[in-house]
């Protein structure tokens, strides 16, 4: 109950304090209420909807304190809210059977097994937090076996595709966007937030990743450096952003995704291409050329090489055949 009170206070104060101030407040509350015991009778418990909503707000506040990105927190909340609305029970009364039944119904709506797997991941994260904060004694989602995910092969961009997209870009800005993405493998949010003073004359780019709250350095190829300089030289404004909209505002992640999609269509690529597709292209291209996986991971901004290897390095049957010929016929 003490943890519930602390979390409730932090939730109510989160709109008025920054992360550092919230951390100090949390430490003061923990110190002050140490060894305090508070009890409440079952009759005093609020309705399931009100109680669950209160916990979700506290969960979100806790994740903000941990430094999770707004996008990640929103994913956790959407999945948890869908589930709690469907079962309409107090969090403390939910069982593994409730979660299994919900996932079964959710899967019957036609979503992919990967989507169902992600839904379970987000729900489990919420119940793990409830257990850590002692609202519940065990996580009911832990009893559910991992859901087998569909892993259909994704189209891997080629060097020729990138060249075609470069040539199909209908203005200097869009050409620079394609070339910078192919050179650096930046996330779409990182490219949108990029400022001119983050790029050195030599082509080193200092990037701040809001997803991991860390800095890293990536590099421009001569082609990307030339395209970017050409675009920036054509501008007469003093806006700090590297890329602007036609109206002179900082470009958004949505703008960039639209530009990448439209450029790929203009280039005649018969597949849906996103910024993430270009990140995968760069990772695989570097790996094929002998770049150590550790370096590829660092350039992409991953915390470990396992994510790079599992989700970004994509080898074709030709790659495997070439490797077999090289190593098995020696």
């Amino acid at each position: 109950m003490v943890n519930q009170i602390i979390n409730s206070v932090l939730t109510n104060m989160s709109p008025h304090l920054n992360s550092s101030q919230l951390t100090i407040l949390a430490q003061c509350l923990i110190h002050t209420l140490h060894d305090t015991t508070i009890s409440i009778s079952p009759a005093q418990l609020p309705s399931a909807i009100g109680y669950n909503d209160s916990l979700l707000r506290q969960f979100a506040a806790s994740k903000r304190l941990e430094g999770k990105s707004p996008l990640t927190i929103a994913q956790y909340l959407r999945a948890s809210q869908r589930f709690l609305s469907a079962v309409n029970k107090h969090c403390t009364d939910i069982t593994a059977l409730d979660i299994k039944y919900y996932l079964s119904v959710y899967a019957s709506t036609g979503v992919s097994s990967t989507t169902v797997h992600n839904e379970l991941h987000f729900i489990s994260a919420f119940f793990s937090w409830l257990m850590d904060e002692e609202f519940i004694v065990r996580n009911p989602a832990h009893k559910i076996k991992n859901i087998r995910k569909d892993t259909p092969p994704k189209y891997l961009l080629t060097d020729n595709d990138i060249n075609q997209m470069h040539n199909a870009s209908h203005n200097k800005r869009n050409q620079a966007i394609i070339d910078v993405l192919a050179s650096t493998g930046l996330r779409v949010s990182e490219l949108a937030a990029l400022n001119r003073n983050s790029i050195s004359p030599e082509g080193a780019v200092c990037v701040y990743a809001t997803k991991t709250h860390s800095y890293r350095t990536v590099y421009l190829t001569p082609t990307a450096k030339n395209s970017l300089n050409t675009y920036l030289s054509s501008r007469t404004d003093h806006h700090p952003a590297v890329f602007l909209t036609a109206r002179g505002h900082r470009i958004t992640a949505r703008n960039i995704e639209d530009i990448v999609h439209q450029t790929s269509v203009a280039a005649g690529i018969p597949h849906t291409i996103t910024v993430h597709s270009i990140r995968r292209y760069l990772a695989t291209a570097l790996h094929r050329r002998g770049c150590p996986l550790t370096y590829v991971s660092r350039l992409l901004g991953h915390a470990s090489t396992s994510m790079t290897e599992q989700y970004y390095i994509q080898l074709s049957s030709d790659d495997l055949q070439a490797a077999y010929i090289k190593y098995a016929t020696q």
Side-chain angles (χ1 to χ4, degrees):
M1 183 57 65
V2 170
N3 284 335
Q4 297 178 34
I5 292 173
I6 292 174
N7 282 319
S8 179
V9 171
L10 294 175
T11 300
N12 291 328
M13 294 303 297
S14 62
H16 310 291
L17 303 176
N18 59 37
S19 296
S20 298
Q21 292 168 330
L22 281 172
T23 301
I24 294 172
L25 176 60
Q27 292 171 345
C28 291
L29 289 170
I30 292 170
H31 178 76
T32 302
L33 298 176
H34 180 65
D35 288 336
T36 300
T37 301
I38 302 173
S39 61
I40 184 170
S41 68
Q44 293 176 287
L45 286 173
S47 67
I49 294 176
Y51 183 66
N52 293 343
D53 285 348
S54 174
L55 289 179
L56 284 171
R57 289 194 297 272
Q58 295 176 52
F59 173 61
S62 176
K63 291 303 175 183
R64 282 194 292 271
L65 278 172
E66 293 175 12
K68 298 293 185 183
S69 72
L71 179 60
T72 299
I73 295 173
Q75 289 175 317
Y76 285 134
L77 290 180
R78 278 196 299 269
S80 299
Q81 285 170 333
R82 276 194 297 267
F83 168 68
L84 294 173
S85 296
V87 299
N88 193 27
K89 294 170 66 174
H90 280 92
C91 292
T92 53
D93 297 328
I94 288 172
T95 66
L97 188 60
D98 292 322
I99 300 175
K100 289 179 181 178
Y101 180 74
Y102 167 76
L103 293 175
S104 175
V105 173
Y106 187 55
S108 70
T109 62
V111 298
S112 69
S113 60
T114 299
T115 301
V116 178
H117 177 276
N118 292 338
E119 192 83 351
L120 173 59
H121 169 74
F122 295 135
I123 293 171
S124 181
F126 174 57
F127 280 98
S128 291
W129 174 81
L130 289 176
M131 187 173 67
D132 291 341
E133 297 298 332
E134 300 178 0
F135 290 104
I136 57 177
V137 296
R138 60 179 61 88
N139 182 349
H142 282 171
K143 295 183 178 180
I144 303 174
K145 295 180 180 179
N146 285 333
I147 298 169
R148 187 173 180 178
K149 296 187 293 183
D150 295 330
T151 55
K154 297 179 180 179
Y155 179 73
L156 181 63
L157 287 165
T158 65
D159 292 341
N160 185 55
D161 289 331
I162 295 297
N163 289 334
Q164 288 181 317
M165 290 177 69
H166 169 95
N167 294 331
S169 301
H170 67 271
N171 61 44
K172 296 174 183 178
R173 183 201 62 185
N174 292 2
Q175 190 172 74
I177 286 174
I178 297 301
D179 291 344
V180 169
L181 287 172
S183 172
T184 62
L186 291 179
R187 298 180 178 94
V188 64
S189 58
E190 294 168 348
L191 187 69
L194 201 61
N195 288 326
R196 296 197 207 199
N197 60 7
S198 299
I199 305 173
S200 74
E202 295 74 29
V205 183
C206 181
V207 183
Y208 177 71
T210 55
K211 185 173 183 178
T212 59
H213 300 280
S214 61
Y215 288 92
R216 72 181 188 280
T217 302
V218 294
Y219 304 92
L220 299 175
T221 62
T223 297
K225 185 178 177 182
N226 180 65
S227 295
L228 184 59
N229 287 339
T230 299
Y231 163 63
L232 292 175
S233 297
S234 69
R235 283 170 42 183
T236 57
D237 62 89
H238 298 288
H239 199 292
V242 170
F243 292 108
L244 301 178
T245 64
R247 295 185 177 183
H249 303 299
R250 180 183 291 275
I251 203 167
T252 66
R254 183 62 179 271
N255 295 149
I256 296 171
E257 289 287 10
D258 287 343
I259 289 167
V260 169
H261 173 68
Q262 292 163 8
T263 304
S264 69
V265 171
I269 301 173
H271 301 276
T272 301
I273 303 302
T274 65
V275 171
H276 197 260
S277 304
I278 302 179
R279 272 171 66 78
R280 277 205 319 275
Y281 155 78
L282 178 65
T284 302
L286 291 173
H287 183 65
R288 280 174 174 167
R289 294 164 190 164
C291 183
L293 193 59
T294 302
Y295 295 166
V296 178
S297 180
R298 289 279 296 275
L299 287 168
L300 292 181
H302 291 158
S304 68
T305 58
S306 59
M307 177 175 287
T308 310
E309 188 171 24
Q310 183 175 358
Y311 297 105
Y312 289 83
I313 302 298
Q314 186 174 340
L315 301 177
S316 66
S317 57
D318 290 340
D319 294 322
L320 297 177
Q321 183 180 19
Y324 179 82
I325 293 172
K326 179 179 179 179
Y327 295 108
T329 59
Q330 290 182 350

